[in-house]
Amino acid sequence: MIILDGKKLAEKILAELKEERAKIKKAMRLAIVVVGADKVTENYLREKQKFAAALDIDCRVHNYPETISTDELRRHLKEIVHLEKNRGVVIQLPLPQHINAQHILSAVTPEKDIDMLSARAVGNFVVGKSPILPPVAGAVKALLDEYAIDYRTKYSVVVGAGRLVGKPVALWLLNEKATFAVVRSSTPDISEFTKKADIIISGVGKPKLITGDMIKEGVVLIDCGTSESGGAIAGDVDTESVSKKAAYLAPVPGGVGPV
């Protein structure tokens, strides 16, 4: 089994971005809005801050208590979005359940919406007018391209239909004219699909969801699921049980995340 090394690819991309950044003389600032906190969120924040620092981008984290209301958060966000110095704005997900997530995400203007989660940004992507890909879809594509893995003529199965992984990845595959299926919690038996898949892209956030008995020989596994298990960051794929059957694996950590 070949490991798709996201850290190595991220270093390559960073080197290319540094060259582009050197051509831009303006100061740049990234604003990240965080409501509450957990270990997974803190891990992602560290990676974003580290990457921003390497590109001479000022990264400001705006922390708010988990009890904040949708309206109050929206008011704070309006100020952050319209501050000219903030060239990009990220809403760290997930948000607490009592908050209207889409109402908050749509407060970010498309030109500053790095994660492409506002209604306008998603709409632009659907109709092919977006100049960039959503982050996870872009990372998946970058890894597959780096290792010369064909995804346009293969059968892919996307596990999960969340706004960060499943939906954008499915839309990207649709735009690429690829053949794919999406399975989710309401699917009676996801193994009926995964056993036939050439490529599996999972973003559920459930440790060891994908096991060796659910895949075929030579499958490509792209693990985008992130959760906490036993005090450590875990992915959706049970690495040990799939290792003898899978041809490629983008693991957690070290795969899609760094990219």
Coordinates of all heavy atoms in Angstrom, one line a residue, residues 33 70-83 88-91 95 99-114 116-121:
V33 N -12.7 32.9 12.5 CA -13.7 33.0 13.5 C -14.0 31.6 14.2 O -14.3 30.7 13.5 CB -15.0 33.6 12.9 CG1 -16.1 33.6 14.0 CG2 -14.8 35.0 12.4
T70 N -26.9 33.4 17.2 CA -26.6 33.6 15.8 C -26.6 35.1 15.4 O -25.7 35.6 14.7 CB -27.8 33.0 15.0 OG1 -27.8 31.6 15.2 CG2 -27.6 33.2 13.5
D71 N -27.5 35.9 16.0 CA -27.6 37.3 15.6 C -26.3 38.1 16.1 O -25.8 38.9 15.5 CB -28.8 38.0 16.2 CG -30.1 37.5 15.5 OD1 -30.0 37.0 14.4 OD2 -31.2 37.7 16.1
E72 N -25.9 37.7 17.3 CA -24.7 38.4 17.9 C -23.5 38.0 17.1 O -22.6 38.9 16.8 CB -24.5 38.0 19.4 CG -23.5 38.8 20.1 CD -23.3 38.5 21.6 OE1 -24.1 37.6 22.0 OE2 -22.5 39.0 22.2
L73 N -23.3 36.8 16.8 CA -22.2 36.3 16.0 C -22.2 37.0 14.6 O -21.2 37.4 14.1 CB -22.2 34.8 15.8 CG -21.0 34.2 15.1 CD1 -19.7 34.6 15.7 CD2 -21.2 32.7 15.0
R74 N -23.4 37.1 14.0 CA -23.5 37.8 12.7 C -23.1 39.2 12.8 O -22.4 39.7 11.9 CB -25.0 37.7 12.3 CG -25.3 38.3 10.9 CD -25.1 37.5 9.8 NE -25.5 38.2 8.5 CZ -25.8 37.6 7.4 NH1 -25.8 36.3 7.3 NH2 -26.1 38.3 6.3
R75 N -23.4 39.9 13.9 CA -23.0 41.3 14.0 C -21.4 41.4 14.1 O -20.9 42.3 13.5 CB -23.6 41.9 15.3 CG -25.1 42.2 15.1 CD -25.6 43.1 16.2 NE -25.5 42.5 17.6 CZ -26.5 41.8 18.1 NH1 -27.6 41.6 17.4 NH2 -26.4 41.2 19.3
H76 N -20.8 40.6 14.9 CA -19.4 40.6 15.0 C -18.7 40.2 13.6 O -17.8 40.9 13.2 CB -18.9 39.6 16.0 CG -19.1 40.0 17.4 ND1 -18.4 41.0 18.0 CD2 -20.0 39.5 18.4 CE1 -18.8 41.1 19.3 NE2 -19.7 40.2 19.5
L77 N -19.3 39.3 12.9 CA -18.8 38.8 11.6 C -18.9 39.9 10.6 O -18.0 40.1 9.8 CB -19.6 37.6 11.2 CG -19.0 36.9 9.9 CD1 -17.6 36.5 10.1 CD2 -19.9 35.7 9.6
K78 N -20.0 40.7 10.6 CA -20.1 41.8 9.7 C -18.9 42.8 9.8 O -18.4 43.3 8.8 CB -21.4 42.6 10.0 CG -21.7 43.7 9.0 CD -23.1 44.3 9.2 CE -23.4 45.4 8.2 NZ -24.7 46.1 8.5
E79 N -18.5 43.1 11.0 CA -17.4 44.0 11.2 C -16.1 43.4 10.7 O -15.3 44.0 10.0 CB -17.2 44.3 12.7 CG -18.4 45.1 13.3 CD -18.2 45.3 14.8 OE1 -17.1 44.9 15.3 OE2 -19.2 45.8 15.4
I80 N -15.9 42.1 10.9 CA -14.7 41.4 10.5 C -14.6 41.3 9.0 O -13.6 41.6 8.4 CB -14.7 40.0 11.1 CG1 -14.5 40.0 12.6 CG2 -13.5 39.1 10.5 CD1 -14.7 38.7 13.3
V81 N -15.7 41.0 8.3 CA -15.7 40.8 6.9 C -15.5 42.2 6.2 O -14.7 42.2 5.2 CB -17.1 40.3 6.4 CG1 -17.2 40.3 4.9 CG2 -17.2 38.8 6.9
H82 N -16.0 43.2 6.7 CA -15.9 44.5 6.0 C -14.7 45.3 6.4 O -14.4 46.4 5.9 CB -17.2 45.4 6.3 CG -18.4 44.8 5.6 ND1 -18.6 44.9 4.3 CD2 -19.5 44.2 6.1 CE1 -19.7 44.4 3.9 NE2 -20.3 43.9 5.0
L83 N -13.8 44.7 7.2 CA -12.5 45.4 7.5 C -11.6 45.1 6.4 O -11.3 44.0 6.0 CB -12.0 44.8 8.8 CG -10.8 45.5 9.4 CD1 -11.1 46.9 9.8 CD2 -10.2 44.7 10.6
G88 N -9.1 37.6 3.7 CA -9.8 36.4 3.7 C -10.4 36.1 5.0 O -9.8 36.5 6.1
V89 N -11.6 35.4 5.1 CA -12.3 35.1 6.3 C -12.7 33.7 6.3 O -13.3 33.2 5.4 CB -13.5 36.0 6.5 CG1 -14.2 35.7 7.8 CG2 -13.1 37.5 6.5
V90 N -12.4 33.0 7.4 CA -12.7 31.6 7.6 C -13.6 31.4 8.8 O -13.3 31.9 9.9 CB -11.4 30.7 7.8 CG1 -11.8 29.3 8.2 CG2 -10.6 30.7 6.5
I91 N -14.7 30.7 8.7 CA -15.6 30.4 9.8 C -15.2 28.9 10.2 O -15.5 28.0 9.4 CB -17.1 30.5 9.5 CG1 -17.4 31.8 8.8 CG2 -17.9 30.2 10.7 CD1 -17.2 33.0 9.6
L95 N -20.0 24.7 13.9 CA -20.5 25.7 14.9 C -21.5 25.0 15.8 O -22.0 23.9 15.5 CB -21.3 26.8 14.1 CG -20.4 27.7 13.2 CD1 -21.3 28.5 12.3 CD2 -19.5 28.6 14.0
I99 N -26.8 27.5 16.6 CA -26.5 28.6 15.6 C -26.9 28.2 14.2 O -26.7 27.1 13.8 CB -25.0 29.0 15.6 CG1 -24.6 29.7 16.9 CG2 -24.6 29.8 14.4 CD1 -23.2 30.1 17.1
N100 N -27.5 29.2 13.5 CA -27.9 28.9 12.1 C -26.6 29.0 11.2 O -26.2 30.1 10.9 CB -28.9 30.0 11.7 CG -29.4 29.7 10.2 OD1 -28.7 29.2 9.4 ND2 -30.7 30.1 10.0
A101 N -26.0 27.9 11.0 CA -24.7 27.9 10.3 C -24.7 28.6 9.0 O -23.8 29.4 8.7 CB -24.2 26.4 10.2
Q102 N -25.7 28.2 8.1 CA -25.7 28.8 6.8 C -25.9 30.3 6.8 O -25.3 31.1 6.0 CB -26.7 28.2 5.9 CG -26.6 28.5 4.4 CD -25.2 28.1 3.9 OE1 -24.8 26.9 3.9 NE2 -24.5 29.0 3.4
H103 N -26.6 30.8 7.8 CA -26.8 32.3 7.9 C -25.5 32.9 8.2 O -25.2 34.0 7.7 CB -27.8 32.5 9.0 CG -28.2 34.0 9.2 ND1 -28.8 34.7 8.1 CD2 -28.2 34.8 10.2 CE1 -29.0 35.9 8.5 NE2 -28.7 36.0 9.8
I104 N -24.7 32.3 9.0 CA -23.4 32.8 9.4 C -22.4 32.7 8.2 O -21.7 33.7 7.9 CB -22.8 32.1 10.6 CG1 -23.7 32.3 11.9 CG2 -21.4 32.5 10.9 CD1 -23.8 33.8 12.3
L105 N -22.4 31.5 7.6 CA -21.5 31.3 6.5 C -21.7 32.3 5.3 O -20.8 32.8 4.6 CB -21.6 29.9 6.0 CG -21.1 28.8 7.0 CD1 -21.5 27.4 6.5 CD2 -19.6 28.9 7.2
S106 N -23.0 32.6 5.1 CA -23.4 33.4 3.9 C -23.1 34.9 4.2 O -23.2 35.7 3.3 CB -24.8 33.2 3.6 OG -25.1 31.9 3.1
A107 N -22.6 35.2 5.4 CA -22.3 36.6 5.7 C -20.9 37.0 5.2 O -20.5 38.1 5.1 CB -22.3 36.8 7.2
V108 N -20.1 36.0 4.8 CA -18.8 36.2 4.2 C -19.0 36.5 2.7 O -19.6 35.7 2.0 CB -17.9 35.0 4.4 CG1 -16.5 35.3 3.9 CG2 -17.8 34.6 5.9
T109 N -18.4 37.6 2.2 CA -18.5 37.9 0.8 C -17.7 36.9 0.0 O -16.6 36.5 0.4 CB -18.1 39.3 0.6 OG1 -16.7 39.5 1.1 CG2 -19.0 40.3 1.2
P110 N -18.1 36.6 -1.3 CA -17.4 35.6 -2.1 C -15.9 35.9 -2.3 O -15.1 34.9 -2.3 CB -18.1 35.7 -3.4 CG -19.5 36.1 -3.1 CD -19.3 37.1 -1.9
E111 N -15.5 37.2 -2.4 CA -14.1 37.5 -2.6 C -13.2 37.2 -1.4 O -12.0 37.1 -1.5 CB -14.0 38.9 -3.1 CG -14.4 40.0 -2.1 CD -15.8 40.3 -2.2 OE1 -16.6 39.6 -2.9 OE2 -16.2 41.4 -1.6
K112 N -13.9 37.1 -0.2 CA -13.1 36.8 1.0 C -13.4 35.4 1.5 O -12.9 35.0 2.5 CB -13.4 37.8 2.0 CG -12.9 39.2 1.7 CD -13.1 40.2 2.9 CE -12.6 41.6 2.5 NZ -12.7 42.5 3.6
D113 N -14.3 34.6 0.8 CA -14.7 33.3 1.3 C -13.8 32.2 0.9 O -14.0 31.6 -0.1 CB -16.1 33.1 0.8 CG -16.8 31.8 1.4 OD1 -16.2 31.2 2.2 OD2 -17.9 31.5 1.0
I114 N -12.7 32.0 1.7 CA -11.7 31.1 1.3 C -12.2 29.6 1.3 O -11.8 28.8 0.5 CB -10.5 31.2 2.4 CG1 -9.8 32.5 2.2 CG2 -9.5 30.0 2.2 CD1 -8.8 32.8 3.3
M116 N -15.3 28.8 0.7 CA -16.4 28.7 -0.3 C -17.6 28.0 0.3 O -18.1 27.0 -0.3 CB -15.9 27.9 -1.6 CG -14.8 28.6 -2.4 SD -14.3 27.7 -3.8 CE -15.8 27.5 -4.7
L117 N -18.1 28.5 1.4 CA -19.2 28.0 2.0 C -20.4 28.9 2.1 O -21.5 28.5 2.5 CB -18.9 27.6 3.5 CG -17.9 26.4 3.6 CD1 -17.4 26.2 5.0 CD2 -18.5 25.1 3.1
S118 N -20.3 30.1 1.6 CA -21.4 31.0 1.5 C -22.3 30.6 0.4 O -21.9 29.9 -0.6 CB -21.0 32.5 1.3 OG -20.4 32.6 0.0
A119 N -23.6 31.0 0.4 CA -24.5 30.5 -0.6 C -24.1 31.0 -2.0 O -24.2 30.3 -3.0 CB -25.9 31.1 -0.3
R120 N -23.5 32.2 -2.1 CA -23.1 32.8 -3.4 C -21.9 32.0 -3.9 O -21.8 31.7 -5.1 CB -22.8 34.3 -3.2 CG -24.0 35.1 -3.1 CD -23.7 36.6 -2.7 NE -22.9 37.2 -3.8 CZ -22.3 38.4 -3.6 NH1 -22.4 39.0 -2.5 NH2 -21.6 38.9 -4.6
A121 N -20.9 31.7 -3.0 CA -19.7 31.0 -3.4 C -20.1 29.6 -3.9 O -19.5 29.1 -4.9 CB -18.7 30.9 -2.3

